[in-house]
Amino acid sequence: MRMSRWFIARLLSWCVLCAAGTPALAAPDVRTPFAITPAAAMPGAFTVLCYHEVRREVRDFADPFAVDSAALVAQFAWLRANSFVPVRLGDIIAARSGGKPLPAKAVLLSFDDAYLSFYTDVYPLLREFGFPAVLGVVGRWIDQPDDGSVQYGEKGTFTNARFPSWSQLREVAASGLVEIASHTYDLHRGVAANPQGNLQPAATTRIYDAATGRYEDDADWRARVRADLARSAALIERETGHRPRAIVWPYGSYNDELVRIAAELGMPVALTLNDGTNTPAVPLAAVRRTLIQHNPSLGEFTTEQRGPLYAVPVRVVQVNLDAVHHPDAVRQERNLSMLLERIAVLKPTHVVLQAISDGAGAQAGSYFPSRHLPLRADLLNRAAWQLASRAGVKVFVVLPLAGFRLTQEQVIDVYEDLARHANIDGLLFMQGRTPEPPDEADTARFLAATQAQADAAQRWRAPLKIARGLLIDSPGTQRMQAALAPQVAALAGRSDYVVIASYPVQGAAVDPAMLATRVSSVLSSGQQAVWSKLIYVLVNHVGTGRPTGTLMARQMREWQLGGAINFGYSGDDFLRDAPPLADIAPAMSLRIFPR
């Protein structure tokens, strides 16, 4: 049953009470002037809100992405009261093509998965407010017999009654308010991604065949995803009369090859789950969206629209997969569990995995399938997925390849293979240990080489964050930091993060305030932007125990007092508790008042 006008009126009345800020509801006053971020205030900028299911009641509903109807009404009313202007996808495309400029505070409303509640609850609200929206449709979930069942990703099996009919979708598409986008035909599910059995997003994962021990190759992967996207586009065109011009990537998982294939099939606009504002510099092939989850209160919703007032601190732990690996699969899983437990205590935001073995001879090799390196164990994808899904961290990978005689072309191949076979968030490139900062020519060569490697990986895994760094001796002297600033500035201009790595020694830690000031002056940018990019990392002397832990903790405290936002350490030896958790966990804590 579609939402009645009586029910809409009651919800709107509730929203009016919220706007008045009545004590009983203690809701934010939607009339209060709202300051948007500088990025959102740029001419041509727009934001995108990403919704999923909308229900009358979500308190006893397990889906974290569901929003209740009353909350949606309050959010729509707040957007209107604060002069946000919901726009059509066509408005955005036209503005980017030189047509009518977007209004200030432009916002695109998007709804993923095309639940029946979109037709019964959301569509009437869109008509009441006059708001346009984009609806991402998974073809297989709609294209089922009336009594059929749908495998809804990892959430289980539901009857087809959970989703609208094509007749209902034709109605909303004909309204002029709703544009139907492809959410793929049958890629909103997990497929076997490694020998250990992890299920990962079907669009970007190379399917692992346990019977043959082989992965899907490039040709088979391309044929599979192209056939799916083509089927989705053709189905939507047949049922609604309009071919979709936008693709919504399931789970936000995509790569450059997928973007290219979708564009060839007439879908040049791609909606991702990359967070942030869409400034004119953000391509329509990678539209950013704000994911609405956990049924936010109106106060939480408004905070989300404002964006973070300050940079979110980064805490980093680097681990060598040599410590996880064991010839016995049971022992290896036990080691991985120990790492997960330690990360759960440390609560870093990022974990860097060294995916190349430090061993020599038969012990050398990679922890992912590669054309040019011996395979020590197919372990990286399993470890990265467990860390991301169980510990909630971003996983970066570092590949120390200096011990292998590879051409630059072969190194690029290795990074392509890495991205094919590992579900990761970013790459760390280290320039190497040196008593002096590298000169300008060395840095230019380093940037060029690593950019080619990053581009190769991005072809198969996007979006990847890029961190570049230096491992230096005695960084604490003013002369060293003065010499270091131009090189750090050069790296910061081309990287998401810059890592300053050093060994923990008494009295020689980097002075964050001094370095940030010098780098800011080189870049002619505010210190806040520099602070958010710099990550200070201590290199742990593995296995030396408590003295190193106390020294590392002391230097981390000194960094914080000096204004550093981001820091961490490499060389975590979780099997031997080095550095000791008792020392390092309080220093790594992101709590305001750590004990």
Side-chain angles (χ1 to χ4, degrees):
M1 181 181 296
R2 188 180 296 185
M3 183 186 291
S4 68
R5 295 188 64 84
W6 174 86
F7 186 65
I8 294 175
R10 290 295 299 272
L11 288 176
L12 290 172
S13 298
W14 179 90
C15 189
V16 169
L17 291 175
C18 287
T22 59
L25 292 173
D29 189 339
V30 298
R31 298 167 300 180
T32 301
F34 179 78
I36 59 176
T37 63
M42 292 179 61
F46 65 96
T47 58
V48 184
L49 303 184
C50 173
Y51 293 94
H52 286 76
E53 187 160 15
V54 176
R55 299 174 66 88
R56 304 288 175 86
E57 179 57 70
V58 300
R59 282 179 295 183
D60 297 322
F61 189 60
D63 190 344
F65 304 115
V67 173
D68 70 46
S69 301
L72 185 65
V73 172
Q75 292 164 18
F76 279 10
W78 182 89
L79 291 171
R80 171 172 286 172
N82 284 274
S83 303
F84 283 83
V85 183
V87 296
R88 290 173 168 79
L89 180 61
D91 297 332
I92 295 171
I93 295 173
R96 288 291 184 93
S97 302
K100 181 180 178 181
L102 291 176
K105 292 187 175 181
V107 59
L108 178 67
L109 304 176
S110 66
F111 292 82
D112 290 6
D113 301 348
Y115 296 94
L116 180 60
S117 64
F118 181 87
Y119 180 76
T120 59
D121 291 53
V122 178
Y123 177 48
L125 287 177
L126 295 175
R127 294 178 63 186
E128 195 74 23
F129 280 87
F131 285 178
V134 171
L135 178 64
V137 173
V138 181
R140 186 174 182 84
W141 296 353
I142 311 299
D143 201 17
Q144 292 280 346
D146 291 340
D147 58 349
S149 62
V150 174
Q151 182 62 39
Y152 177 47
E154 65 286 339
K155 298 179 182 180
T157 301
F158 300 110
T159 64
N160 197 39
R162 184 84 175 265
F163 301 95
S165 66
W166 280 114
S167 175
Q168 290 166 328
L169 291 177
R170 282 192 290 272
E171 179 185 338
V172 301
S175 70
L177 287 176
V178 180
E179 176 157 345
I180 304 296
S182 170
H183 205 13
T184 75
Y185 183 80
D186 189 27
L187 297 179
H188 202 310
R189 59 189 176 92
V191 295
N194 52 41
Q196 296 86 357
N198 288 117
L199 299 180
Q200 297 178 13
T204 52
T205 298
R206 301 307 177 93
I207 298 175
Y208 178 78
D209 186 343
T212 63
R214 298 176 65 87
Y215 286 93
E216 191 174 36
D217 62 20
D218 286 358
D220 289 341
W221 173 81
R222 283 195 184 93
R224 175 171 63 87
V225 298
R226 177 180 283 276
D228 182 283
L229 298 185
R231 184 175 184 181
S232 171
L235 177 64
I236 292 171
E237 183 178 25
R238 186 187 75 205
E239 295 291 346
T240 69
H242 301 283
R243 192 168 183 86
R245 49 185 173 176
I247 179 76
V248 183
W249 298 121
Y251 313 105
S253 183
Y254 69 99
N255 58 39
D256 287 353
E257 281 289 293
L258 276 173
V259 170
R260 182 185 61 79
I261 293 170
E264 289 175 354
L265 294 171
M267 296 178 285
V269 179
L271 305 187
T272 74
L273 288 179
N274 306 343
D275 198 23
T277 300
N278 294 283
T279 65
V282 177
L284 294 186
V287 173
R288 300 170 177 172
R289 296 192 292 169
T290 299
L291 179 62
I292 307 300
Q293 54 187 330
H294 305 302
N295 194 33
S297 68
L298 187 55
E300 292 167 336
F301 176 80
T302 59
T303 299
E304 186 70 33
Q305 303 323 301
R306 181 181 292 109
L309 298 177
Y310 305 100
V312 177
V314 170
R315 296 291 181 269
V316 177
V317 175
Q318 183 170 325
V319 179
N320 192 329
L321 284 177
D322 282 348
V324 179
H325 174 253
H326 196 281
D328 179 70
V330 175
R331 285 284 301 275
Q332 182 168 279
E333 279 297 300
R334 188 183 307 159
N335 290 345
L336 181 56
S337 295
M338 289 179 64
L339 173 60
L340 290 170
E341 291 169 3
R342 184 174 175 91
I343 295 301
V345 173
L346 286 169
K347 291 183 172 60
T349 58
H350 294 63
V351 170
V352 178
L353 295 177
Q354 180 177 319
I356 300 294
S357 175
D358 281 338
Q363 300 299 314
S366 65
Y367 287 109
F368 58 93
S370 172
R371 286 165 283 178
H372 305 299
L373 300 175
L375 178 66
R376 191 175 190 202
D378 194 349
L379 173 60
L380 171 61
N381 194 29
R382 168 69 171 176
W385 185 258
Q386 294 297 96
L387 283 164
S389 60
R390 301 294 179 86
V393 298
K394 299 291 186 183
V395 178
F396 279 48
V397 168
V398 62
L399 301 181
L401 295 172
F404 299 91
R405 295 182 177 179
L406 300 176
T407 66
Q408 181 60 27
E409 289 73 19
Q410 288 174 326
V411 170
I412 288 174
D413 288 346
V414 169
Y415 277 93
E416 279 199 342
D417 294 336
L418 166 67
R420 283 185 178 96
H421 296 292
N423 203 312
I424 58 175
D425 300 290
L427 300 171
L428 169 61
F429 299 101
M430 293 300 294
Q431 200 161 356
R433 183 178 183 182
T434 174
E436 298 286 341
D439 61 27
E440 186 176 341
D442 288 338
T443 299
R445 285 190 291 269
F446 173 69
L447 283 169
T450 56
Q451 190 59 55
Q453 294 154 17
D455 289 345
Q458 185 96 355
R459 181 182 179 190
W460 305 111
R461 188 75 54 185
L464 288 173
K465 296 288 187 181
I466 304 301
R468 294 182 173 92
L470 302 162
L471 175 57
I472 56 177
D473 289 330
S474 303
T477 67
Q478 290 194 21
R479 185 190 66 81
M480 172 62 80
Q481 293 194 49
L484 189 62
Q487 308 312 318
V488 172
L491 298 181
R494 299 277 297 277
S495 312
D496 296 292
Y497 298 108
V498 178
V499 173
I500 308 298
S502 59
Y503 290 91
V505 291
Q506 293 285 358
V510 175
D511 181 340
M514 180 186 298
L515 182 59
T517 300
R518 292 181 180 276
V519 173
S520 297
S521 65
V522 174
L523 292 177
S524 299
S525 63
Q527 285 199 31
Q528 185 65 33
V530 175
W531 281 123
S532 65
K533 283 196 172 190
L534 298 184
I535 304 177
Y536 301 92
V537 171
L538 290 171
V539 180
N540 179 39
H541 297 283
V542 176
T544 58
R546 187 169 295 275
T548 299
T550 55
L551 178 58
M552 292 172 69
R554 186 182 307 119
Q555 292 196 356
M556 288 179 182
R557 289 300 190 205
E558 291 174 359
W559 283 341
Q560 282 185 301
L561 292 173
I565 299 173
N566 312 318
F567 56 82
Y569 68 96
S570 66
D572 185 84
D573 188 353
F574 61 91
L575 297 176
R576 298 179 179 84
D577 188 30
L581 277 177
D583 294 333
I584 206 69
M588 291 279 287
S589 175
L590 280 171
R591 297 190 309 183
I592 296 175
F593 300 109
R595 296 178 180 178

